[in-house]
Amino acid sequence: MNLAGPLQAVVEEFSKFPGVGAKSARRLALFLLRQPHEQIDSLVESLIGLKTKIKFCKICFNIGESDICDICSSDRRDKSIICVVEDINDVIGIERSHEYNGTYHVLGGVLSPLNGVGPESLKVKELLQRLNGEVKEVILALNPDTEGEATSLYLNRLIKPLDVSVSRIARGLPIGGNIEFADDATIGRAVTGRGLF
Amino acid sequence: MNLAGPLQAVVEEFSKFPGVGAKSARRLALFLLRQPHEQIDSLVESLIGLKTKIKFCKICFNIGESDICDICSSDRRDKSIICVVEDINDVIGIERSHEYNGTYHVLGGVLSPLNGVGPESLKVKELLQRLNGEVKEVILALNPDTEGEATSLYLNRLIKPLDVSVSRIARGLPIGGNIEFADDATIGRAVTGRGLF
């Protein structure tokens, strides 16, 4: 049986989401169908808001509701430190830790030659333009996987000559983790990267 | 960090979906944010279509684009058999099997006293009203779990006296299944419900 056209249209839209297959998309669409019309209205309204109200910060490419994001425009953030992240999700994660008081720079991805992502697809040029003397340290907070490491190496090579200190977030055993079950690479990093007690 | 308001609004809407937690909702919202505006437009359009164009069939409560669904209005469907299902999803599943040529009746749920779902919350009255002489058989196609079985027993008791044959879909080993790994209840049903070769 073909689904009724309008339902099928919603299923197809939901199927475009990452991690949502045809079956989940149908489940979501049928769920919506059973909800009162007001719920569909508020979903639609929020989506229109997403499109019209969200802006990308002209400095760090984080999101916000104006041209300069809340973090870049705050007096209480330390403008001499920039934490470079892959994605907006990472900004959210680091902010949640409440351990960082500097600014961010959202690269918009990591280098991935196989997928055709070179430096020109990322906000690398914009990062270098921010290193104008005021910035003392750049923290590279990219994922500790192959592409993240390669991107970190690349950025380090570009930034070091500009007389800016470059650091990167610690790799080691996660809090609550277990040496017995940790993989070799993580244990290796934890040992070589040990700090004084 | 609080998410920008418009983004948070979308995250909250997505969190209302079944099986979508706060983290998945954020992932979906951030995904949308990275898509071209046209994709948000077509999602919004499909949702409005869902709200305005989909109708519930006045006879069987299946969905369609007019007051009477495609199945109920088709000349090629056998109106003397009604297959009772819990949900629209079940209609889709049975239609996909291409083994059934009768009509349906979507109950809109199953009896669940603990959740406050009694016969009056389901389309039971509407089902009985359809049993006006033309209908020869009612097939109960509810899930083989406690609530489904209880609802089947309840409906059987109501329908039997009306001189309509009541059957229910076979329970047994699924095709491609394996006796060794099947649970006891399924094997038991498969044996007691055996058919002549």
Side-chain angles (χ1 to χ4, degrees):
Chain A
M1 166 192 167
N2 290 320
L3 289 178
L7 184 63
Q8 185 60 37
V10 174
V11 171
E12 276 164 22
E13 290 299 327
F14 282 149
S15 302
K16 292 178 188 166
F17 284 107
V20 178
K23 248 186 173 162
S24 312
R26 205 172 63 206
R27 200 165 42 89
L28 296 179
L30 287 173
F31 165 80
L32 266 191
L33 197 61
R34 281 190 294 261
Q35 302 313 112
H37 277 183
E38 294 74 40
Q39 184 168 341
I40 299 182
D41 290 338
S42 68
L43 173 59
V44 164
E45 204 175 302
S46 73
L47 291 168
I48 291 173
L50 188 71
K51 197 182 73 169
T52 55
K53 292 190 202 144
I54 292 268
K55 291 179 173 173
F56 288 91
C57 175
K58 291 203 149 101
I59 300 174
C60 75
F61 305 98
N62 184 17
I63 50 171
E65 291 183 70
S66 43
D67 284 345
I68 308 298
C69 77
D70 290 352
I71 294 174
C72 286
S73 58
S74 166
D75 290 339
R76 289 178 296 177
R77 309 291 302 218
D78 183 351
K79 302 283 161 44
S80 71
I81 313 181
I82 296 178
C83 179
V84 177
V85 295
E86 177 177 340
D87 202 359
I88 292 155
N89 244 331
D90 304 322
V91 175
I92 297 169
I94 294 172
E95 284 297 291
R96 215 168 35 215
S97 77
H98 298 294
E99 294 284 355
Y100 179 66
N101 194 39
T103 61
Y104 290 93
H105 191 84
V106 181
L107 276 187
V110 282
L111 296 176
S112 176
L114 287 177
N115 298 315
V117 182
E120 68 291 345
S121 321
L122 306 176
K123 304 293 184 190
V124 172
K125 194 175 77 229
E126 291 82 353
L127 172 62
L128 298 177
Q129 283 165 354
R130 290 178 66 185
L131 306 179
N132 52 8
E134 198 199 351
V135 176
K136 302 281 175 265
E137 180 179 0
V138 169
I139 303 174
L140 301 175
L142 303 173
N143 288 326
D145 54 17
T146 320
E147 295 179 341
E149 296 286 295
T151 310
S152 292
L153 284 171
Y154 173 80
L155 291 175
N156 182 44
R157 221 170 36 220
L158 286 181
I159 302 170
K160 264 282 174 58
L162 304 177
D163 203 25
V164 173
S165 160
V166 181
S167 62
R168 58 176 159 176
I169 52 168
R171 279 84 45 88
L173 285 171
I175 304 301
N178 191 312
I179 297 177
E180 184 180 356
F181 300 125
D183 62 291
D184 298 352
T186 299
I187 297 180
R189 287 287 189 183
V191 172
T192 57
R194 68 192 176 279
L196 281 175
F197 208 133
Chain B
M1 168 192 166
N2 291 320
L3 289 178
L7 184 63
Q8 186 60 36
V10 174
V11 172
E12 276 163 23
E13 289 300 327
F14 282 151
S15 301
K16 293 179 188 167
F17 284 109
V20 178
K23 249 185 172 162
S24 312
R26 205 172 64 207
R27 199 166 42 90
L28 295 178
L30 287 173
F31 166 80
L32 266 191
L33 197 62
R34 283 190 293 262
Q35 301 314 112
H37 278 182
E38 294 74 39
Q39 184 168 339
I40 299 184
D41 291 337
S42 68
L43 174 59
V44 164
E45 205 176 303
S46 73
L47 290 169
I48 291 173
L50 188 70
K51 198 183 71 166
T52 54
K53 292 190 202 141
I54 291 268
K55 291 180 173 172
F56 288 90
C57 175
K58 292 205 150 99
I59 299 175
C60 74
F61 305 97
N62 184 19
I63 50 173
E65 291 183 69
S66 45
D67 284 344
I68 308 297
C69 76
D70 290 353
I71 294 174
C72 285
S73 58
S74 166
D75 289 341
R76 287 178 298 176
R77 307 292 300 219
D78 183 349
K79 303 284 161 43
S80 72
I81 312 182
I82 296 178
C83 179
V84 177
V85 295
E86 178 178 338
D87 203 0
I88 293 155
N89 244 332
D90 304 321
V91 175
I92 298 169
I94 295 173
E95 285 296 292
R96 215 169 37 216
S97 78
H98 298 296
E99 293 285 355
Y100 179 65
N101 194 38
T103 61
Y104 291 93
H105 190 84
V106 181
L107 276 187
V110 283
L111 295 177
S112 176
L114 287 177
N115 297 316
V117 182
E120 68 290 344
S121 321
L122 307 176
K123 303 294 185 191
V124 172
K125 193 176 77 226
E126 290 82 352
L127 172 62
L128 297 178
Q129 283 165 354
R130 289 177 67 184
L131 307 179
N132 51 8
E134 197 198 351
V135 176
K136 303 278 177 265
E137 180 178 1
V138 169
I139 303 174
L140 301 175
L142 303 173
N143 288 327
D145 54 18
T146 320
E147 296 179 342
E149 295 285 295
T151 310
S152 292
L153 284 172
Y154 173 80
L155 291 175
N156 183 43
R157 221 169 37 218
L158 286 181
I159 301 170
K160 264 282 174 61
L162 304 177
D163 204 25
V164 173
S165 159
V166 181
S167 61
R168 58 177 163 177
I169 52 168
R171 279 84 45 88
L173 287 171
I175 304 301
N178 191 312
I179 295 176
E180 186 181 353
F181 300 124
D183 62 290
D184 298 351
T186 299
I187 296 180
R189 288 286 190 184
V191 172
T192 57
R194 68 192 177 278
L196 280 176
F197 207 134

